[in-house]
Amino acid sequence: MRSTLLLVVSVALWVRPSASSYFQVPRIHFSGMFRADSATGNNDRENYDCSEELNPSWNVNGTNEFWLTDCTVTSVVLEYGSPVTDGGQDSAIGRPIVNNINSPSAKLADLDSTQWDLTSTLYGMEMGLEGSLYGQWVPTCISRDFWFRQINDTSADRYTQTIGTQGSSRLRSVVWGALESSSALQQLKDLADATDSKELSVSLTLFKYHRSHQDDLYTYGWLMGTIGVAGDAEEPLNFVGQRVLKRVRQKDPPWDPSLSPGCQSAGGEVNPTTCAGSTEWLYAAYFSVHKAPDTDTHYATIDFGNSVQLKFDGSVCDFGTLYLGYIAASTEEPTQIAEIHYKILTTSGVFDIELPSGFTGEDSEFVVYTTLHHEAVCSADAQEGCGDTQPYIILREKPVTVWPMDDHFYRLQADSDMSSATVEMQVRRFGQPLSGCKVELRNESPEKSDPTVGLDFEYDAESDNKGIATFTFKAKEIGHPWVRYGVDGIVYAFAYCAVSCGGFAETLCEEGYTNMLAIKVWGRTEYQEPVFWDEHVQPIFSQYERLYPAMSHILRLGDYDDVTKQGNIQVLLKAMGLPFEHPSYMPVTRDLSPSRKNMILDWLKSENHYRNWADVQEKAFTAPDFCGDNFYPGKEKYHPPETLATEGLDEYGAQLEHHESSLDRTFAKHMLLAKPSPEIINMRMQLRESKAPSPFAWLDEAMLDQCNLPRDLQSALQLEFATIPLYLTSLYSIKPGHNQEVYGLIRSVVMQEMLHMAQVANILIAMGHRPIIDSEAVVPSFPGSLPGGVLPGLTVELKRASPKHVYDVFMMVEFPADNLDMFPEVGDQVTIGKFYQHIKKCIRRQEDESFQKNDDLKVKWPWDMLDPTSHLYEVTDVASAVNAVNMIIDQGEGSGRKNPYYHYNALSHYYKFGEVACKHRINTQMETYSFDGEPIEFTPEGVWPMRDNPSSESIPKGSQAYHRAKLFHRVYRALLTKLQEVFGGNSDAIDDAVYLMESMQLHAKVLMQLQVPGEPGRPEETYGPVFQYTWKDSDQN
């Protein structure tokens, strides 16, 4: 049996010039890849029970991030039926389509992962054409018309997801940039500007998703999309084509399923290479009919992006020739209109077909059909003349459609700001609004749960003169809380149907699991103060930690001590207090009820963070005033000892040398704790013998008239930033749950270095200058020297955490200026501390008016209320500028050699790193201090064996590590851009900068688990984060 596939579209269309979407011209088509790092621990109901063994599924460490990658414009359409694919004809072709370039990544979240999964909504996405247009994606479902469209190869070693899906939305708050002489972009902008909304219409089609750990493209998939003008017409957010073709299901199809359209037998199975044996072929296709501007010619524009079946390699199955036709009201026989060329990638599956002169399809339906031969069997050599043919309809237009105006999915809780939802359903007949139509809801809830238990609503409504049928859903109180299978809340789902309207006696319902209306109702958690960790917070947090282990790279949610660290409390408060649509909203799955979230927020905001009632009683005790004096003497109590006895304290086995001069014991222990590495000894000797003038010669007292504060402050900004990749790399290398004290010490320094950078920027801004950070000339490279000529003999390298690396590099970077006389080889060189002393002297030579030039553009610091020792000074005069610099000096070096603290019991950076290097807490119980207090655990096994100085050139192109490292680099560059935005006057952007830093950590920790291919003579190593300004590929393939 031989078949030829034809598309015949029976049309009953009404031209509606006011409507506008990506179906109209001009439009831009693009294709490329996407990355959806979906977490899968929450897919199994049993995983919600923390006493059961975790079933990790295929991506338990997922982050739910969504990225577009390597997407480019493939064609533009300025006139119906005439796509332009040559970049020489329009400069938009070939240019990148990007998303979230300066913001945290977009996030995917299901309505409910166990009761109503595969209903993915995209939150917090920004996208556009690089440099030309950029807008905010309105959150909506991207899993419309979910189907198994790709033929899988079951014999292949690597598994590819066969699912295809599609979603459309709008881009709001569009910002236009350079249009690069592109006619398509100029027309798109002009038409969008002429509308009230000024929005764009966008469609995404996703397919060929890679979910095998062995695949270099693991968690990546293919993507196509289209951008057009949204216009002002009232039409559904996720159904902009006005009309839809649906698959016709017949019980007894007139063909042998084992045969392909080409009469090739596949033995009852579908051939993944030729598509032989498939009976699916086509799925739902959305379309629109419209008149071309300034003509009487009508076109049907059809979106086949998610409609055509694909081979295993992602290419389109060849079903023969497709035709467009129609079925008139008086007949069931299709009338052919035109042939369709359905190679989908170039135009993202969107095709324009010219209709016959005078034909608008007002009384007709579109159909898709194929011609089949009557003969049951065709031999391989008898491809022609196998008998007569007859049309066989595969897709047929649904004459009356019902579709939600906004999203399909809602979350409700009684007695909250999410207690009700108004859902407008638009009814259309052949694309036109239909009034007086009864729309009926039919219960399709999981396990046929009764929706009236949790919702107050009516099952039917009638459409008004705009075709809108309105339903109102109000949440009922369903429990304290309502938890099923360990999951908070219950999902109610509805099919929606047009009942006996539009001249059609039959009831027409929207089909498809992911196209239904679904409402999740949460129970309200009631609680009384105080909220306890053990009873209220820990059970929720532990469940999230179990289901989303990627979070443990930032903090361990089930660990009270980790959660209650100052920085982590603030991170949680900010993330859980963000708007629901924000990409950094926590929890990323958006499945925590408002009442439970508010309970957790109250606990986080509380002063004591009680564990239980016993903790309440213990923390009610107030220590007498004298305790502070006894255990934390003032600065005047500290003085260096007269002599220093010989002691043995050295992780490398060397003896502490006798030192009789009147020196601070801390510095003696630092410099003599161990035999320095040969590199450090050689560096110090070079410094001692160097006669070259310092690049900062103006630091001499006699040359203060050479002060150049803007230049010096910009150098200081670069210095502060240069320490951040250095410290972050070591921080990232610490495995979750290991070396926690070391992790906390390094992290606290990183946060203060960010503060110092903001403080320096504020001084510059106060003087009327703009700090520069997002520049290749400013961003440091590694290995390399510190900026500005500071410690020119020190090579700063990025290495995994170790006491030796902290001792050799970190402590040298933070070396105090007050103790330079101890070491002649360092004393005449410029340290960071000495550099800041110079800046402070230069500030004092200014007038107060010098710091009053940009009062409205100051950088803010989001942690002021959390840590009183980390205050961002408002710079308004000489005194406040000096105070700001003093804070930087004190936090880095301490308050001089007599005091390692800068604020009560808050150690400065130098001494914190001393604790790590010595693996002991500092001892301040007497009038001297030393690093022989409580031991600090450090185990090399708790650190990933990252290769030193990671670079993009060292990673094989196309490998899994390459893709992961490139994602890290993308977020790093976004951080630089966001910081530049902060320094340019948008102080609120500092929050996004912090979220980007947390995102960097997630990607870095994944990288550090990917092994570098073994090389003879080298130990086992892993990859690491790439802190380069410009990504450069390796020469390897």
Side-chain angles (χ1 to χ4, degrees):
M1 178 173 62
R2 178 175 176 267
S3 66
T4 302
L5 186 67
L6 303 113
L7 177 66
V8 176
V9 184
S10 80
V11 190
L13 299 156
W14 185 260
V15 179
R16 190 182 184 191
S18 61
S20 185
S21 69
Y22 72 88
F23 282 84
Q24 276 71 44
V25 295
R27 59 178 182 259
I28 295 174
H29 302 295
F30 58 91
S31 66
M33 302 192 73
F34 70 94
R35 180 175 185 251
D37 191 27
S38 303
T40 58
N42 62 343
N43 291 349
D44 189 335
R45 289 176 177 173
E46 294 183 0
N47 285 345
Y48 287 77
D49 183 350
C50 294
S51 65
E52 297 291 333
E53 183 178 354
L54 180 71
N55 172 19
S57 191
W58 55 272
N59 193 32
V60 70
N61 291 309
T63 61
N64 285 57
E65 291 188 352
F66 182 89
W67 295 99
L68 305 181
T69 180
D70 298 327
C71 292
T72 57
V73 176
T74 54
S75 65
V76 299
V77 181
L78 301 177
E79 297 180 0
Y80 289 111
S82 302
V84 176
T85 60
D86 184 358
Q89 298 182 48
D90 195 290
S91 61
I93 298 169
R95 292 182 54 202
I97 296 290
V98 295
N99 78 310
N100 294 66
I101 53 176
N102 298 325
S103 304
S105 69
K107 301 297 191 303
L108 275 176
D110 289 342
L111 176 68
D112 188 289
S113 57
T114 62
Q115 302 176 68
W116 207 252
D117 59 350
L118 305 177
T119 52
S120 300
T121 297
L122 192 55
Y123 294 98
M125 186 164 84
E126 303 166 352
M127 67 170 295
L129 195 150
E130 187 176 59
S132 294
L133 68 92
Y134 201 66
Q136 299 174 2
W137 167 281
V138 177
T140 188
C141 171
I142 61 167
S143 54
R144 186 187 72 197
D145 293 311
F146 177 101
W147 73 299
F148 296 93
R149 71 175 302 192
Q150 185 177 350
I151 300 173
N152 201 21
D153 188 350
T154 56
S155 66
D157 294 333
R158 298 176 179 177
Y159 178 73
T160 300
Q161 183 77 290
T162 62
I163 293 169
T165 187
Q166 189 176 52
S168 63
S169 185
R170 292 187 172 208
L171 295 185
R172 291 177 176 167
S173 304
V174 177
V175 176
W176 295 90
L179 304 184
E180 303 293 341
S181 302
S182 166
S183 298
L185 290 174
Q186 187 63 60
Q187 289 188 29
L188 202 65
K189 180 180 185 302
D190 292 343
L191 286 175
D193 287 345
T195 66
D196 292 335
S197 69
K198 304 188 186 311
E199 296 175 353
L200 298 178
S201 171
V202 59
S203 172
L204 296 179
T205 300
L206 313 177
F207 58 102
K208 193 174 171 57
Y209 183 69
H210 298 259
R211 46 178 282 186
S212 168
H213 288 265
Q214 302 173 354
D215 199 324
D216 287 336
L217 291 176
Y218 173 57
T219 69
Y220 284 78
W222 291 14
L223 172 145
M224 300 182 300
T226 303
I227 299 175
V229 175
D232 297 319
E234 294 183 0
E235 54 188 9
L237 186 65
N238 211 344
F239 178 28
V240 298
Q242 304 176 35
R243 308 178 72 166
V244 62
L245 294 154
K246 289 287 187 175
R247 185 162 52 186
V248 176
R249 300 182 181 275
Q250 297 189 14
K251 294 182 179 179
D252 300 308
W255 72 81
D256 182 346
S258 68
L259 301 179
S260 76
C263 295
Q264 296 173 314
S265 175
E269 295 184 359
V270 181
N271 187 310
T273 303
T274 65
C275 306
S278 171
T279 60
E280 295 295 322
W281 297 358
L282 299 174
Y283 200 66
Y286 295 80
F287 68 98
S288 178
V289 172
H290 27 258
K291 188 173 72 170
D294 303 323
T295 71
D296 293 326
T297 304
H298 291 78
Y299 286 86
T301 301
I302 308 174
D303 187 349
F304 264 40
N306 189 43
S307 303
V308 184
Q309 195 166 49
L310 304 175
K311 301 176 185 177
F312 177 68
D313 63 3
S315 60
V316 176
C317 291
D318 186 359
F319 300 120
T321 307
L322 299 179
Y323 295 92
L324 177 67
Y326 66 94
I327 292 179
S330 59
T331 178
E332 283 295 309
E333 289 295 319
T335 299
Q336 178 180 316
I337 294 177
E339 179 179 339
I340 292 180
H341 301 282
Y342 56 99
K343 304 304 179 184
I344 62 176
L345 284 179
T346 302
T347 61
S348 304
V350 180
F351 307 99
D352 300 314
I353 297 179
E354 183 177 346
L355 301 182
S357 177
F359 175 72
T360 62
E362 297 175 12
D363 300 314
S364 307
E365 298 175 48
F366 279 105
V367 296
V368 176
Y369 77 95
T370 183
T371 56
L372 296 173
H373 292 267
H374 285 300
E375 293 192 13
V377 178
C378 291
S379 61
D381 57 353
Q383 297 296 311
E384 300 297 335
C386 289
D388 296 332
T389 64
Q390 66 178 14
Y392 175 73
I393 297 174
I394 302 174
L395 300 182
R396 183 163 186 161
E397 183 184 0
K398 193 174 183 179
V400 176
T401 60
V402 184
W403 204 267
M405 289 294 290
D406 295 310
D407 208 354
H408 293 65
F409 313 131
Y410 295 85
R411 297 168 173 84
L412 301 180
Q413 178 188 291
D415 298 325
S416 74
D417 58 359
M418 302 173 68
S419 61
S420 65
T422 298
V423 181
E424 295 182 336
M425 297 277 188
Q426 186 173 68
V427 186
R428 290 177 182 266
R429 180 182 184 275
F430 297 135
Q432 292 303 297
L434 181 63
S435 64
C437 180
K438 179 182 177 181
V439 177
E440 183 178 276
L441 302 180
R442 298 189 176 180
N443 183 23
E444 296 290 344
S445 302
E447 303 177 15
K448 291 297 180 181
S449 300
D450 182 1
T452 61
V453 172
L455 290 170
D456 185 6
F457 70 103
E458 298 293 335
Y459 269 102
D460 57 69
E462 186 173 295
S463 61
D464 60 17
N465 58 0
K466 293 184 179 180
I468 302 296
T470 302
F471 293 85
T472 300
F473 298 88
K474 294 182 179 180
K476 294 181 179 179
E477 181 54 64
I478 60 172
H480 171 59
W482 184 276
V483 178
R484 305 181 74 203
Y485 316 110
V487 184
D488 190 4
I490 184 171
V491 172
Y492 301 112
F494 304 91
Y496 33 93
C497 310
V499 180
S500 302
C501 56
F504 293 90
E506 60 180 316
T507 297
L508 300 173
C509 297
E510 179 55 43
E511 298 176 341
Y513 168 80
T514 58
N515 289 355
M516 291 184 187
L517 175 68
I519 302 174
K520 182 169 185 174
V521 180
W522 283 301
R524 182 164 52 89
T525 301
E526 297 179 353
Y527 60 94
Q528 295 180 343
E529 295 289 351
V531 177
F532 295 130
W533 167 263
D534 292 347
E535 179 182 352
H536 304 108
V537 179
Q538 191 270 345
I540 299 173
F541 273 7
S542 291
Q543 189 181 72
Y544 275 107
E545 181 178 39
R546 170 181 168 87
L547 296 175
Y548 313 103
M551 188 68 187
S552 64
H553 297 313
I554 298 175
L555 77 160
R556 288 170 293 128
L557 282 172
D559 188 314
Y560 174 87
D561 293 331
D562 201 24
V563 168
T564 54
K565 289 177 181 176
Q566 290 181 337
N568 290 343
I569 286 285
Q570 192 68 8
V571 166
L572 289 168
L573 280 171
K574 282 190 170 292
M576 296 184 72
L578 289 169
F580 193 81
E581 295 78 13
H582 195 282
S584 297
Y585 176 87
M586 181 179 173
V588 66
T589 47
R590 290 157 172 81
D591 56 0
L592 185 64
S593 68
S595 60
R596 289 179 128 190
K597 185 186 79 167
N598 291 335
M599 176 188 70
I600 294 172
L601 287 173
D602 286 347
W603 182 83
L604 292 170
K605 293 174 183 176
S606 66
E607 181 179 355
N608 293 301
H609 305 121
Y610 292 125
R611 285 178 177 267
N612 44 44
W613 274 115
D615 198 23
V616 174
Q617 297 172 346
E618 180 180 342
K619 289 179 177 176
F621 173 77
T622 303
D625 293 339
F626 66 81
C627 289
D629 292 335
N630 286 346
F631 293 98
Y632 300 99
K635 295 181 181 179
E636 69 279 358
K637 297 290 184 70
Y638 288 94
H639 58 81
E642 291 295 327
T643 61
L644 180 64
T646 302
E647 298 183 31
L649 180 62
D650 177 20
E651 66 172 302
Y652 309 113
Q655 292 293 317
L656 185 66
E657 301 176 8
H658 183 67
H659 204 293
E660 295 183 350
S661 59
S662 178
L663 300 176
D664 184 346
R665 184 177 182 183
T666 302
F667 293 102
K669 279 198 171 186
H670 160 54
M671 301 307 295
L672 302 175
L673 172 66
K675 292 179 181 179
S677 63
E679 295 83 0
I680 296 296
I681 294 175
N682 181 58
M683 181 271 290
R684 291 175 179 164
M685 292 300 297
Q686 290 178 357
L687 286 174
R688 179 181 298 174
E689 297 169 2
S690 174
K691 304 299 181 182
S694 168
F696 283 84
W698 58 83
L699 292 179
D700 296 337
E701 292 284 347
M703 304 182 70
L704 277 178
D705 57 347
Q706 296 188 26
C707 285
N708 186 332
L709 261 182
R711 174 193 60 190
D712 297 346
L713 289 168
Q714 176 63 39
S715 294
L717 184 80
Q718 295 172 229
L719 277 169
E720 297 296 345
F721 185 78
T723 66
I724 293 173
L726 170 65
Y727 299 155
L728 280 181
T729 301
S730 291
L731 184 75
Y732 294 160
S733 70
I734 298 174
K735 297 178 180 178
H738 297 265
N739 302 322
Q740 288 302 291
E741 286 185 272
V742 174
Y743 181 94
L745 287 167
I746 297 176
R747 187 182 186 277
S748 67
V749 173
V750 171
M751 295 302 294
Q752 289 184 343
E753 294 294 357
M754 289 286 289
L755 169 65
H756 297 174
M757 188 167 65
Q759 190 68 79
V760 171
N762 260 356
I763 301 175
L764 260 175
I765 292 170
M767 297 184 69
H769 297 276
R770 287 289 181 272
I772 300 174
I773 193 65
D774 190 13
S775 167
E776 191 160 17
V778 170
V779 174
S781 58
F782 303 95
S785 300
L786 290 173
V790 172
L791 288 174
L794 176 65
T795 300
V796 180
E797 297 185 276
L798 304 184
K799 297 184 178 183
R800 60 181 177 267
S802 71
K804 183 177 184 300
H805 183 47
V806 170
Y807 171 78
D808 285 348
V809 181
F810 291 16
M811 294 184 72
M812 287 298 294
V813 169
E814 304 287 353
F815 199 88
D818 285 353
N819 297 277
L820 295 177
D821 58 330
M822 295 173 54
F823 304 100
E825 67 269 29
V826 178
D828 59 351
Q829 300 296 314
V830 180
T831 65
I832 292 180
K834 191 173 181 180
F835 181 35
Y836 272 115
Q837 293 290 358
H838 155 70
I839 288 178
K840 188 163 63 171
K841 292 176 184 178
C842 292
I843 288 175
R844 285 178 171 143
R845 297 176 63 89
Q846 307 297 311
E847 299 294 334
D848 286 345
E849 291 76 13
S850 300
F851 302 96
Q852 299 170 0
K853 298 183 178 180
N854 266 329
D855 292 338
D856 297 330
L857 298 178
K858 303 298 176 61
V859 178
K860 74 173 184 178
W861 182 243
W863 319 114
D864 271 357
M865 300 302 295
L866 178 70
D867 182 5
T869 70
S870 296
H871 176 66
L872 185 64
Y873 283 88
E874 182 178 359
V875 179
T876 58
D877 52 25
V878 170
S880 57
V882 169
N883 286 339
V885 174
N886 281 337
M887 181 270 293
I888 295 173
I889 295 173
D890 289 348
Q891 285 190 343
E893 307 170 13
S895 302
R897 78 164 69 162
K898 292 185 178 181
N899 193 351
Y901 299 99
Y902 68 89
H903 187 278
Y904 297 107
N905 64 334
L907 279 176
S908 64
H909 301 176
Y910 180 87
Y911 297 89
K912 286 182 179 181
F913 290 149
E915 289 186 326
V916 176
C918 299
K919 296 199 291 190
H920 279 267
R921 290 290 186 183
I922 195 168
N923 188 347
T924 58
Q925 302 241 348
M926 301 177 62
E927 292 185 354
T928 60
Y929 48 90
S930 56
F931 293 114
D932 55 5
E934 291 294 322
I936 293 176
E937 181 182 5
F938 181 88
T939 58
E941 296 78 13
V943 176
W944 279 303
M946 186 201 78
R947 176 173 287 187
D948 294 349
N949 302 312
S951 67
S952 60
E953 295 93 331
S954 65
I955 305 175
K957 187 174 182 181
S959 65
Q960 186 175 355
Y962 173 90
H963 294 294
R964 295 286 184 171
K966 204 163 186 180
L967 275 176
F968 173 90
H969 181 263
R970 178 176 181 172
V971 178
Y972 175 55
R973 285 297 305 274
L975 172 65
L976 295 176
T977 304
K978 188 60 65 177
L979 288 174
Q980 190 65 63
E981 183 181 344
V982 172
F983 298 155
N986 182 11
S987 61
D988 291 334
I990 189 68
D991 292 338
D992 279 345
V994 174
Y995 301 140
L996 285 166
M997 287 189 69
E998 301 294 356
S999 180
M1000 284 166 54
Q1001 179 168 235
L1002 294 176
H1003 294 297
K1005 285 185 176 288
V1006 171
L1007 267 172
M1008 289 186 175
Q1009 299 175 65
L1010 298 178
Q1011 287 192 5
V1012 177
E1015 296 179 16
R1018 292 188 68 104
E1020 178 180 303
E1021 294 177 308
T1022 61
Y1023 292 100
V1026 177
F1027 283 101
Q1028 298 170 198
Y1029 188 84
T1030 302
W1031 179 275
K1032 299 177 182 178
D1033 285 337
S1034 68
D1035 294 329
Q1036 306 174 49
N1037 295 320

